[in-house]
Amino acid sequence: MLKPQQTISRLRLSCDGLWNIKIDRENVGDVNGWSAGFAPDADVAVPGSWNEQLAEIGVMNYIGVAWYQTRVFVPTAFEGKRIVLRIGSADFSARVWINGKFLGSHEFGFLPFEFEVTDHVAVGKSALVVVRVSNELTDDTVPQGVTAENYIAENRVRDETFPPARFDFFPYGGIHRSVELYATPKEYIDDIDVQTNIVSASDGLVRAKIQLTCLDGATVGFRLESDAQNWTQEANVENGVAEASIAVNPCQFWSCEHPQLYLLTIQLRRDGELIDEYQLNVGIREVKVEGAKLLLNGKPVFLKGFGKHEDFPVLGKALSLPLLVKDFGLLRWINANSFRTSHYPYAEEVLDYADRKGILIIDEVADISRDFRYTSPKSLENHKAYLRELIARDKNHPCVIAWSLSNEPNYLAELEYHDGRGDAYWKELAQHARALDETRPITIPNLQRATINDPAFNYCDFISINRYYGWYENPGQMDVAGKRLSEELDAIYEKYQKPILVSEFGADTVAGLHSTTDQLFTEEYQVKFLETYCAVIASKPYTIGEHVWNFADFRTPQHHRRVVMNLKGVFTRTREPKRAAFFLKEHWAKSPVKSSVNGEAAVLAGAFEK
Ligand code: GCB
């Protein structure tokens, strides 16, 4: 799916700003005809979560339906064009109307969706946009939901969070990313699929496949350029497709140190006349798992970074460009080279920026703590559809080096996971992922409770494990924790012979709390925890990285084990460094030199772009 873009043939109109909101606690909006407009309860900023923004009208913990509306003026410049309404994300599902006309619905959070509205708006007039947003989740949704009744029925009342959630981050509701009305020509470039290869030390190859809405009689011009050079090609459109293969020499490959981007301009023409134009940044690079290594452009790379969240006071899960710039500045400061978009796809702006800054991304489906007691064929269909939408959105980003298909299945250690159902599920999902994208490795972060026999391991190209020895288990005893981690890593490697990323490890820490002895929640304990893990990880030739949990403190549902937030951040929620940030900065400044599995030393890539 192509992002809206302003080019010689395309126009964009932002619909962000202050919208109206009406909370629909009794779910009466449909029968009351709110899709044609309603008397609002309040103003609400888009993008934004309703929770903290409107806490004073009683929606801090609200799970349910809310109606959004705004008026958009459709400019005369859109005359004669195809007009599309695009919503960057609405969590977790939405239905949309324009001028009272139902356009459709979208079931997945954290992903964009759009509807053509050409026939439902008049240029030179305003249009009423109404969006019914719901942050309710069920057994079949991605992620799965949970209710207060589940906790009681399963005799897990002490696990109960408020609002109920199967995950450890706040279930914010709202339109979290930008809304736009954009216009393209009636015949247009529908999709672009770019794949890149390294041919030799100085040669790269860019293969581009373009989907078009016009079938024949058109041509497509390809122009690939850097500051210094450019390459051009022409192709005929056949059955709505045009393809090019561009040899780039000399080629500057995309890497953390030099995130070189080439600008690819696609021009659709008929009889020499320009119909549509689209531009895409292309990074030429290759990712591979080989033996016990993760290779970027043929060189081993060691992932230094975090699991993150989209989370900030008042904004909730809304896209914020100042925060984006701040976070990437902190990643650079701390000498990180990567992060996982735990536990859902982040805004496209984040990936665009990672492309520019040379940050490696593990891109995660919003499937969290899947419980196989409630997993049905419908769940699998939805999970596959989610993955399809994610890959369609993010496939062209050089920063995306792997797909994470889920986080910590089998959270409740349900037996159904290990009776063949778990294995069949991941087998089918992994096949689906590989059919959609054969160029990137896949992984599924494992929870210790799913054991070393986690069927997900069978289908991962590299293994990811989330571990909390020294925190949830063996609290205050980092010597025991380090030993357990070390033994478990060896056991997993021995069994699967695949490289391992420690994709989560961390300790809740109250900024400003200190102790001379090993004491949970102190800044010193967080440092000791991270030091211990990093030392064990460095001692294993088959580890490919360490992602600390978490980059910053973040809000969680209410539970007795959380003081408003999960405090495992290395930075506070407002991005002040804790002591551990200085430890990591120094630790990651030394590009780790690790002995490889076959004994020879390898200097690992991964310094930040200078
Ligand atoms: C995990 C989860 C993450 C939690 C974290 C914790 O394993 O993947 O979502 O926030 O543990 O701090 O408990």
Side-chain angles (χ1 to χ4, degrees):
M1 179 192 232
L2 296 180
K3 255 180 85 181
Q5 190 169 92
Q6 184 87 23
T7 65
I8 196 161
S9 56
R10 294 174 169 235
L11 297 160
R12 297 170 68 177
L13 180 75
S14 169
C15 307
D16 293 350
L18 292 182
W19 290 42
N20 298 146
I21 192 169
K22 193 169 180 72
I23 307 301
D24 192 2
R25 290 180 194 278
E26 308 302 325
N27 214 345
V28 294
D30 284 309
V31 285
N32 288 346
W34 296 356
S35 56
F38 53 79
D41 291 340
D43 298 324
V44 67
V46 170
S49 296
W50 63 57
N51 312 67
E52 290 177 45
Q53 194 185 157
L54 290 171
E56 288 66 35
I57 68 163
V59 291
M60 183 62 219
N61 298 298
Y62 179 63
I63 300 286
V65 173
W67 293 72
Y68 281 66
Q69 72 182 7
T70 193
R71 282 208 157 267
V72 190
F73 190 84
V74 186
T76 46
F78 280 22
E79 181 74 62
K81 296 201 173 260
R82 163 184 168 260
I83 307 172
V84 181
L85 177 69
R86 187 195 211 248
I87 299 179
S89 76
D91 298 330
F92 298 108
S93 65
R95 292 192 220 152
V96 187
W97 293 261
I98 201 158
N99 290 332
K101 165 84 189 160
F102 179 59
L103 297 174
S105 56
H106 187 247
E107 297 305 319
F108 302 138
F110 312 106
L111 287 173
F113 53 103
E114 61 181 31
F115 305 101
E116 183 174 347
V117 299
T118 320
D119 295 339
H120 313 305
V121 297
V123 292
K125 293 207 169 121
S126 74
L128 176 72
V129 177
V130 175
V131 186
R132 177 192 185 274
V133 183
S134 167
N135 64 342
E136 286 165 305
L137 293 168
T138 68
D139 289 346
D140 291 335
T141 52
V142 180
Q144 285 178 318
V146 67
T147 60
E149 291 70 41
N150 280 122
Y151 290 117
I152 296 166
E154 293 169 18
N155 202 14
R156 293 193 298 126
V157 279
R158 288 204 172 178
D159 288 343
E160 182 176 1
T161 65
F162 182 66
R166 280 192 185 276
F167 39 80
D168 184 33
F169 61 88
F170 202 82
Y172 285 106
I175 299 180
H176 287 142
R177 297 179 190 153
S178 289
V179 180
E180 291 186 51
L181 209 55
Y182 73 91
T184 71
K186 289 271 167 72
E187 289 186 317
Y188 58 95
I189 298 162
D190 192 27
D191 197 18
I192 303 177
D193 193 350
V194 170
Q195 303 212 347
T196 65
N197 291 100
I198 297 177
V199 180
S200 72
S202 58
D203 292 70
L205 186 68
V206 173
R207 285 174 295 139
K209 185 173 176 183
I210 317 298
Q211 305 280 352
L212 305 138
T213 60
C214 48
L215 295 183
D216 300 302
T219 58
V220 170
F222 298 82
R223 182 186 166 90
L224 188 74
E225 64 193 302
S226 66
D227 287 344
Q229 292 160 288
N230 68 74
W231 298 262
T232 54
Q233 251 181 51
E234 283 287 310
N236 290 327
V237 178
E238 279 169 38
N239 299 323
V241 175
E243 291 184 72
S245 223
I246 303 173
V248 181
N249 177 302
C251 183
Q252 172 74 61
F253 302 116
W254 185 95
S255 66
C256 299
E257 298 80 3
H258 300 286
Q260 170 74 42
L261 293 172
Y262 291 86
L263 183 67
L264 177 66
T265 304
I266 308 290
Q267 289 192 333
L268 172 64
R269 299 192 205 103
R270 179 173 286 114
D271 302 327
E273 196 183 314
L274 182 70
I275 303 173
D276 193 14
E277 180 180 278
Y278 196 90
Q279 295 189 307
L280 191 76
N281 278 323
V282 173
I284 302 173
R285 58 107 185 94
E286 262 183 28
V287 184
K288 263 196 203 131
V289 172
E290 226 172 66
K293 294 193 183 112
L294 175 67
L295 304 179
L296 180 66
N297 303 337
K299 283 190 248 151
V301 63
F302 188 80
L303 302 177
K304 305 182 272 187
F306 301 93
K308 279 184 101 264
H309 265 299
E310 290 186 323
D311 175 90
F312 204 71
V314 185
L315 307 180
K317 288 210 151 336
L319 168 68
S320 156
L321 294 180
L323 186 61
L324 172 68
V325 172
K326 175 76 185 172
D327 280 5
F328 274 70
L330 289 175
L331 288 169
R332 178 182 189 144
W333 174 84
I334 208 167
N335 297 309
N337 64 5
S338 54
F339 63 86
R340 175 168 59 117
T341 69
S342 43
H343 293 305
Y344 38 81
Y346 291 2
E348 289 154 287
E349 288 80 353
V350 178
L351 299 184
D352 287 340
Y353 208 45
D355 286 342
R356 284 171 54 186
K357 293 292 172 187
I359 289 287
L360 309 174
I361 303 286
I362 298 177
D363 204 354
E364 189 155 278
V365 174
D367 187 64
I368 312 142
S369 312
R370 170 162 293 286
D371 187 328
F372 277 72
R373 289 171 302 175
Y374 307 108
T375 294
S376 64
K378 174 88 181 135
S379 319
L380 180 58
E381 278 321 300
N382 282 341
H383 203 153
K384 284 163 84 173
Y386 196 108
L387 186 62
R388 197 178 310 121
E389 285 189 26
L390 173 66
I391 294 180
R393 190 193 74 157
D394 293 346
K395 63 188 172 188
N396 291 327
H397 286 282
C399 66
V400 176
I401 55 155
W403 305 112
S404 166
L405 306 189
S406 177
N407 179 66
E408 297 189 346
N410 201 215
Y411 185 76
L412 293 171
E414 69 280 3
L415 298 174
E416 287 78 354
Y417 187 56
H418 292 280
D419 68 2
R421 268 179 264 188
D423 191 84
Y425 191 91
W426 298 125
K427 186 176 182 186
E428 191 163 337
L429 199 71
Q431 266 170 7
H432 181 67
R434 293 187 204 289
L436 292 167
D437 179 10
E438 57 184 15
T439 70
R440 290 179 178 89
I442 58 178
T443 195
I444 301 172
N446 149 281
L447 168 87
Q448 186 219 344
R449 221 177 284 153
T451 79
I452 175 175
N453 299 319
D454 186 342
F457 286 152
N458 298 327
Y459 303 101
C460 293
D461 295 299
F462 63 86
I463 281 173
S464 296
I465 63 168
N466 300 345
R467 289 299 179 271
Y468 291 92
Y469 303 126
W471 187 256
Y472 294 119
E473 290 172 37
N474 320 114
Q477 307 149 68
M478 285 316 302
D479 45 346
V480 185
K483 195 162 170 292
R484 286 187 70 184
L485 176 71
S486 170
E487 286 169 2
E488 204 191 2
L489 280 169
D490 286 343
I492 295 174
Y493 184 69
E494 197 177 304
K495 181 160 182 198
Y496 297 95
Q497 299 285 309
K498 295 179 183 182
I500 306 178
L501 164 71
V502 182
S503 43
E504 281 185 27
F505 58 107
D508 285 72
T509 304
V510 179
L513 198 64
H514 298 286
S515 174
T516 55
T517 61
D518 291 347
Q519 174 63 55
L520 299 192
F521 295 104
T522 61
E523 296 203 33
E524 290 73 19
Y525 191 72
Q526 188 180 32
V527 171
K528 185 157 185 181
F529 185 104
L530 299 183
E531 259 173 2
T532 306
Y533 273 68
C534 293
V536 172
I537 294 164
S539 73
K540 308 292 179 190
Y542 51 76
T543 50
I544 55 164
E546 52 202 25
H547 276 178
V548 172
W549 191 257
N550 189 282
F551 176 75
D553 296 344
F554 57 93
R555 189 184 270 275
T556 59
Q558 300 187 53
H559 189 263
H560 55 78
R561 70 176 183 164
R562 297 276 180 260
V563 184
V564 185
M565 286 175 282
N566 182 313
L567 294 171
K568 295 191 183 72
V570 163
F571 298 97
T572 64
R573 197 179 190 208
T574 45
R575 279 34 180 185
E576 294 85 24
K578 299 181 191 171
R579 203 167 162 164
F582 298 94
F583 158 69
L584 288 174
K585 179 175 168 58
E586 207 183 306
H587 170 62
W588 285 337
K590 303 172 221 138
S591 206
V593 178
K594 297 190 359 160
S595 60
S596 68
V597 178
N598 60 17
E600 108 246 14
V603 180
L604 299 165
F608 216 106
E609 162 216 13
K610 290 286 171 308

